[in-house]
Amino acid sequence: MNLEDLNPQQLKAVGHNEGPLMVVAGAGSGKTRVITCRIANLIQEEKVSPDSILAITFTNKAAGEMKERVRNMLDIRGPSPWISTFHSFCLRILRKHISELGFSNDFAIYDTQDQLTLIKQCMKAAEISADAFPPKTLLNHISGFKNDFLRPEDLKPDEMPFGNQLKAAGLYPVYQAALKKNNALDFDDLLVLAGRLFQEVPSLRVHYNDKFKYILVDEFQDTNAVQYGLVRLLCQSHNNICVVGDDDQSIYRWRGANIENILKFENDFPGTTVIKLEENYRSTQNILNAAGSVVRENRNRKDKTLWTQNETGSPVVCYRAADETAEAEFVCEKIQELNRDEGFSFNDMAILYRTNAQSRVMEDMLRRQGLPYQVIGGLRFYERKEVKDVLAYMRVILNPSDSVSLKRIINVPARGIGKTSLEKIEEYCRQKGVTLLEGLRDNGQTRLTAPAAGKKIALFLQIIDDLDATFKQGNPLELLTEVIDRSGYGEMLKKEDTRESKGRIENLNELFSAVEQSIENGEGSLQEFLDSASLVAELDNLDDERGVLPLMTLHTCKGLEFSAVFLVGMENGLLPHASSMSEPEEYEEERRLCYVGFTRARKKLFVTHATQRRIYGTTFNYQPSDFLLSIPDAVMIRESSGFSNKATSQYGSRQNGGREASVPYKAKSDDGYSIGTKDGAYSVGTKVLHAKFGAGIVLNLSGNEENLSVEVFFKAPHGKKKLAVSHAKLIII
């Protein structure tokens, strides 16, 4: 194992042995190498048994990379370190011990679509209107309860606001009961129930504390309350816990990540050694200075300053376009220049944006220019209908109690089992307390349905029985073949004979490849394959060799890097997003998102914004992002397209054939505020302050320059207000 190329701080982190350790690893500082070298050092130098080391990260891709690096550094014979995602680790534990909580160990794992189906069933039984209470919203609230490690009995309805959250609290126990009846868990349950195991079964907690003498957690800033609780329970007896993360890259607050976990770690683990990795190996110094100047304005962060031995590099280019089309034209022009003149491959450049909706204009322009691209964040392979349908057949064969999967396939392909017949059987199941499959089998005796429907149900059950026989005799590949053939699914797609159906057949062919790969990887059972399919992450399948330009959101790009990055839509209302501009915590997360976007770039960084954008068919004026005001002129060149409108005066006159270098932005007053006027200072997303209503966000503008009105959303209890600018005396924050 060669550690000579590690810098002093990295070496210090690798060599730390006993007690809690927090490695604050800035973007591009080599944290993965530190983690893997630390694992290797513990095994080789400290003679720690490999299987007493647990390393946890968030994606299958990261876990796979970590395993490969450790494997290349050491010749490990026998047991290996446990390296996995949080969910995979918890799944492994639950498959062994979930019986302690009253579940069967052959439980199914429900994905988002399965959850949605189940919550709708629960809402129907509870007579809750899906029109009044959106099922997805209720599911999100239930997920939030779980992420905060709250059981149904822990909730206090009296303390909750009336509406979706309160309704979700009432539905939570019903939903959990339905999951248990189906012998199923959702993704949140994997974490929650593992935590319950360690809390409620002390012998198990002691066992795994003794087993895992050293615990390492990657991307610690992304942990939620349940994950942090799990980590604390696992190292309770020895405190040999090493967490690696960067508070400046905490960008998943919306899905439960709690930045406080990394900020309070030293208090929760007294005697913590803190090591900062501030040397960046990815970006130029100009890019680092620009990124640092934005995130440094956050209050809730650990102080750090990234530096590099790389070149200073070219300045960041900030381009102001007349509208979104001009913005897209500029980006495409620069991409072609970099490809043609500097040899940048398309897949080594990326277009990043705050919201998925921003991709449309970029896609249109890329198509017109004939540039190859791929939108990262589209429908995942295992979420495509034909894949989910076929896997649902296999899940029912493995777990006959899985009523959600059974309901999905009972009439796919169409076999004439109507909605009314199914509802009668479901009502029977509710009354008798049996599963849907048991209810279908009972129908032959109870004759709940019409004779014609009964015959069709009997034919379907024969298919299930035949598939079950195949399952008991063969491997997953044979079962997959039989599912596609015996169910009629393959024949259905062939008969359609359309471009779409041919693509769907290709997806099923790819599913065969996935099963084959699973077998090659030593996951030869049906259970192992379905578990693996449930845990696949989106970027795990990103093809770096295609030579196409990736387009993705800022949330998706985390962990990636490119020679050139184009961050588009740097406007108030987009970045920072309008929804964040009245909430300090969310606003700080927007800065971190910007920081993450900037630090994806190795050599070139372009940020763009448009003066006008069309939204729902109406053109609105936008102000440049406030984040741009933080970036010093020494590291950023400002350019703009040649156009004429009332906003142009803010930026100076046209120069250099339609572009101007170093165009000054409209500065705020000395106290950090500027007074809004009727000449275009207001735009959608502008943060304003009102003497009576407090802080708010501009949602809409109406009238002309002489009689301008703005619609502003203020915090409760005020809500939306329409105000005349000439009388309201609003202050732009």
Side-chain angles (χ1 to χ4, degrees), residues 100-134:
E100 298 277 358
L101 299 176
F103 286 81
S104 171
N105 62 7
D106 62 349
F107 58 85
I109 304 170
Y110 279 8
D111 64 11
T112 303
Q113 193 57 52
D114 298 326
Q115 290 177 260
L116 194 59
T117 301
L118 189 63
I119 200 77
K120 287 178 179 177
Q121 293 175 6
C122 294
M123 291 173 68
K124 185 177 180 179
E127 298 183 345
I128 299 173
S129 169
D131 294 330
F133 300 97

Side-chain angles (χ1 to χ4, degrees), residues 36 89 229 317 330 382-383 467 481 484 493 567 689 698 711:
T36 52
F89 169 75
V317 174
F330 169 80
Y382 288 103
E383 292 176 347
L467 294 176
T481 302
I484 295 172
L493 294 178
L567 178 48
L689 194 65
V698 175
E711 186 180 40

